[in-house]
């Protein structure tokens, strides 16, 4: 039977087992991560003429799903932009308190999208740099007595070209779509004509912003979901001595400040 002991989860113990890293960046559970891992999980030889068909059969479904996600979300953005054309924005008839609640909820949800983009940028920035393509691999340290994995860390990384392509083909489009969804979605919700439309439009916008998550849930194989969930975070190679305490205190306040600013902007109109 194991021996139980108390630890302080936010402080460093004498053996250093309980302290959390000052900054940790994870890939989201989404179609964006699936595409990266589908490409990263192959050796360079897998794309040789003799094996390219098998490799493409593994990679192309996930790439197609990602492109489909882009097309659908951009299609909704174009539709919303057309719906907003010619709408009178003065003297909105909806209840101001209800409008505030709907917009604040939408802003809070979009804030999670923006923060996810930041996490992906930071992950790409801090993941180990390789001189040539290296297949995805995770290093583990095991507790010899317990016989369990005690810690997981990235053993391989990305080349500069792979980082650039991931940023250009995944992070940049995702960020651009998030910004466009925020702009059109906040107007679509805020300029609703009736209180019932206000509620329906806010729910509709939450659905549109979750399309990538729905596609991930519906089409990603169970084994791929398990792999993504078990991926370790990336930690900066060098961290300032007091960065841990600063981030713990400042990050919630930064999010609150951004949330308040975005909600204030959404509540304004053109009159």
């Amino acid at each position: 039977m194991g021996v139980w002991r108390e630890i302080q989860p936010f402080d460093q113990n004498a053996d250093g087992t309980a302290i959390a890293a000052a900054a940790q960046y994870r890939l989201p559970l989404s179609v964006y991560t699936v595409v990266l891992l589908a490409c990263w999980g192959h050796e360079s030889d897998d794309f040789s003429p003799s094996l390219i068909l098998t490799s493409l059969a593994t990679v192309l479904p996930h790439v197609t799903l990602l492109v489909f996600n882009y097309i659908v979300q951009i299609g909704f953005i174009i539709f919303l932009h057309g719906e907003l054309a010619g709408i009178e924005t003065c003297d909105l008839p909806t209840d101001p308190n209800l409008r505030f609640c709907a917009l604040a909820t939408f802003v809070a949800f979009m804030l999670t999208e923006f923060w996810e983009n930041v996490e992906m940028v930071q992950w790409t920035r801090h993941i180990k740099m390789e001189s040539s393509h290296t297949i995805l691999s995770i290093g583990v340290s095991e507790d010899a007595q317990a016989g369990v994995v005690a810690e997981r860390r990235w053993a391989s990384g990305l080349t500069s070209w792979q980082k650039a392509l991931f940023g250009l083909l995944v992070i940049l489009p995702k960020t651009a779509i998030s910004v466009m969804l925020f702009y059109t979605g906040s107007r679509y919700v805020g300029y609703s004509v009736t209180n019932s439309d206000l509620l329906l439009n806010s729910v509709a916008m939450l659905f549109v912003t979750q399309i990538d998550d729905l596609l991930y849930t519906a089409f990603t194989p169970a084994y791929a979901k398990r792999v993504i969930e078990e991926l370790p975070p990336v930690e900066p190679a060098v961290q300032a001595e007091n960065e841990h305490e600063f981030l713990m205190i400042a990050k919630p306040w930064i999010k609150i400040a951004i949330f308040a600013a975005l909600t204030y902007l959404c509540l304004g109109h053109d009159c």
Side-chain angles (χ1 to χ4, degrees), residues 73-126:
Q73 289 192 314
I74 292 175
F76 274 116
I77 291 171
I78 295 173
F79 169 79
L80 294 174
H81 184 74
E83 288 289 300
L84 290 168
I87 288 183
E88 178 61 48
T89 60
C90 296
D91 300 324
L92 296 173
T94 52
D95 181 84
N97 294 323
L98 182 61
R99 187 163 64 250
F100 169 78
C101 292
L103 285 171
T105 301
F106 176 71
V107 169
F109 192 87
M110 289 306 303
L111 185 59
T112 63
E113 289 288 317
F114 293 141
W115 208 262
E116 184 176 274
N117 296 338
V118 173
E119 288 275 323
M120 292 176 68
V121 170
Q122 292 287 60
W123 183 93
T124 307
R125 175 189 172 195
H126 292 291

Side-chain angles (χ1 to χ4, degrees), residues 56 86 109 165 195 206 218 230 250:
L56 289 179
F109 192 87
L165 288 174
N195 289 336
L206 294 181
E230 294 178 353

Side-chain angles (χ1 to χ4, degrees), residues 20 26 31 51 54 60 62 78 80 103 107 139 142 145 154 184 216 228 243 254:
R26 291 182 178 274
V31 292
L51 299 174
T54 303
L60 279 181
H62 304 296
I78 295 173
L80 294 174
L103 285 171
V107 169
E142 298 182 351
Q145 294 182 347
W154 290 95
T184 56
Y216 170 80
I228 295 174
E243 187 177 0
I254 293 174

Side-chain angles (χ1 to χ4, degrees), residues 204-225:
M205 286 310 307
L206 294 181
F207 164 75
V208 172
T209 56
Q210 285 185 314
I211 289 175
D212 52 351
D213 296 328
L214 294 175
L215 293 176
Y216 170 80
T217 302
F219 293 100
T220 303
Y223 73 88
K225 292 179 182 178

Side-chain angles (χ1 to χ4, degrees), residues 66-76 177:
L66 179 63
V67 174
F68 176 75
N69 168 67
Y70 289 156
I71 294 174
V72 170
Q73 289 192 314
I74 292 175
F76 274 116
I177 289 174

